[in-house]
Amino acid sequence: MKGRPDCPRCQGRGVILDPDPLKPARICGCTPEGQQDAAEVGLPARYREADFTRFWKWWNNAQASHARTLLDRVGDLEDLLARPLDEVGEVEGREELGKLLQALRRRPEHGIRPAGAEGLAQWATSGKHRFRHGWELWWIHGPAQSGRSTLAAAALRAWSERTGRSVRYVSVRALSQAIKDAYYDVRSYQNQAFQSVRDLIEPLETPGLLLLDDWDRMDSDIRVAAALAQLVDHRYSEELPTLLTAAVPPEALERREGHPLARLDDASLLERLRGAERVEMVPALKPWIDRLARP
């Protein structure tokens, strides 16, 4: 068994040796044996080739028209942090802004990449990230065509290659329909295999990393929300990492009138979602520069 010669995890051996001699070696994700079949992972064809290198290139091209404008405002942000507190007041997120500006001095592209995406990439490729709430949960949000699903698929692939563990991709919209079909009350009735809700949810409880794409597109049926809440609760209890993508942040879903998650009245679930690490599909500098423009 041979690994990729440039693989930083196995150095071409094809296996990853654990620092603990009592733990067995793992097959590296860079080997054919260590890679899951695309059908097993569930990734649509559109995302099967996604990786961070391709994503950064696409993102940089998409942002090229206004990248210079954003970088030209870095000096204004540095001035903001340098001014006395009694003059500007407390700057919310001061520490985060300081870290971003420090990273920009080394590599300007940090300011153009999506807000929070650097942390996601570091976690997926090296396992290094400090989660504020303990559980490895990521919430990636942005409008349609913003690249959120592609970025999540790149993280899924990098994490699998690093750990050698199983991963799964699930479209929440498709899963919602399958759950509804399991109740036999859907006009289209597609449950030809007579699967129960348990049959649908159980296989998603155990993968090393699960990507739930378009979380905000779950069906309004309260039974769908209950099944998805059960899935998230199980992965939280087992401390299994999970990626969620949506068009909006979790707080925005809670405010939607009649949203099934709000109707569940599950405060613990909502708190966990709010506590997820965030990636917003806008250049990292943009939210800070927008603040400068506010009176």
Side-chain angles (χ1 to χ4, degrees):
M1 182 188 305
K2 289 186 177 181
R4 205 175 61 233
D6 62 341
C7 178
R9 293 165 292 279
C10 71
Q11 288 77 47
R13 291 189 297 264
V15 295
I16 300 173
L17 304 178
D18 197 283
D20 185 345
L22 297 180
K23 291 184 178 180
R26 306 191 312 272
I27 297 175
C28 186
C30 75
T31 67
E33 295 86 350
Q35 295 173 358
Q36 285 181 271
D37 180 80
E40 183 185 356
V41 174
L43 271 174
R46 182 181 185 86
Y47 304 126
R48 287 177 190 167
E49 300 302 318
D51 61 27
F52 284 117
T53 300
R54 290 185 179 91
F55 178 80
W56 299 140
K57 184 177 180 179
W58 171 81
W59 179 266
N60 289 341
N61 288 337
Q63 303 300 321
S65 60
H66 56 275
R68 188 69 264 163
T69 302
L70 293 173
L71 292 172
D72 285 344
R73 299 296 303 278
V74 170
D76 296 332
L77 293 172
E78 292 175 332
D79 289 344
L80 176 66
L81 289 188
R83 288 159 66 185
L85 285 177
D86 58 359
E87 181 182 333
V88 297
E90 184 55 48
V91 178
E92 185 180 353
R94 172 182 286 270
E95 185 177 350
E96 293 177 20
L97 176 56
K99 289 180 180 177
L100 175 59
L101 294 176
Q102 187 176 16
L104 278 169
R105 295 185 189 103
R106 297 193 302 270
R107 295 174 63 190
E109 61 264 33
H110 285 294
I112 306 304
R113 289 179 176 179
E118 294 282 356
L120 174 66
Q122 187 177 39
W123 168 77
T125 56
S126 68
K128 296 178 181 179
H129 188 79
R130 182 175 175 273
F131 288 84
R132 296 169 296 166
H133 299 273
W135 183 31
E136 294 175 286
L137 176 66
W138 292 89
W139 185 287
I140 305 170
H141 66 98
Q145 306 300 316
S146 63
R148 62 177 188 255
S149 297
T150 304
L151 177 62
L156 196 76
R157 178 177 183 172
W159 191 92
S160 175
E161 290 181 352
R162 173 174 65 84
T163 65
R165 296 171 63 190
S166 64
V167 297
R168 281 290 298 273
Y169 167 96
V170 174
S171 162
V172 170
R173 188 180 188 185
L175 179 59
S176 292
Q177 185 62 60
I179 292 171
K180 288 180 68 177
D181 286 337
Y183 285 106
Y184 312 134
D185 62 355
V186 179
R187 268 73 60 196
S188 61
Y189 186 59
Q190 298 295 321
N191 190 14
Q192 307 268 334
F194 295 97
Q195 288 183 299
S196 67
V197 174
R198 184 172 183 174
D199 293 332
L200 295 167
I201 295 298
E202 272 196 346
L204 308 179
E205 293 179 340
T206 54
L209 177 60
L210 176 66
L211 166 53
L212 293 167
D213 197 21
D214 290 331
W215 174 260
D216 54 331
R217 299 185 74 178
M218 72 172 65
D219 192 87
S220 60
D221 191 316
I222 194 70
R223 294 171 297 185
V224 172
L228 291 170
Q230 173 191 334
L231 171 60
V232 172
D233 280 345
H234 177 86
R235 294 187 64 82
Y236 168 79
S237 299
E238 296 299 318
E239 298 183 327
L240 291 169
T242 305
L243 303 172
L244 303 174
T245 73
V248 295
E251 296 84 2
L253 289 185
E254 293 178 42
R255 293 192 293 268
R256 285 185 183 175
E257 185 176 353
H259 193 276
L261 287 181
R263 285 158 47 211
L264 275 181
D265 196 25
D266 187 337
S268 296
L269 173 65
L270 295 177
E271 183 63 28
R272 287 176 197 136
L273 296 180
R274 285 194 296 266
E277 297 297 296
R278 309 288 182 93
V279 177
E280 184 178 3
M281 303 306 293
V282 297
L285 279 170
K286 189 175 187 305
W288 296 106
I289 293 170
D290 288 346
R291 288 194 200 184
L292 291 175
R294 295 174 194 159

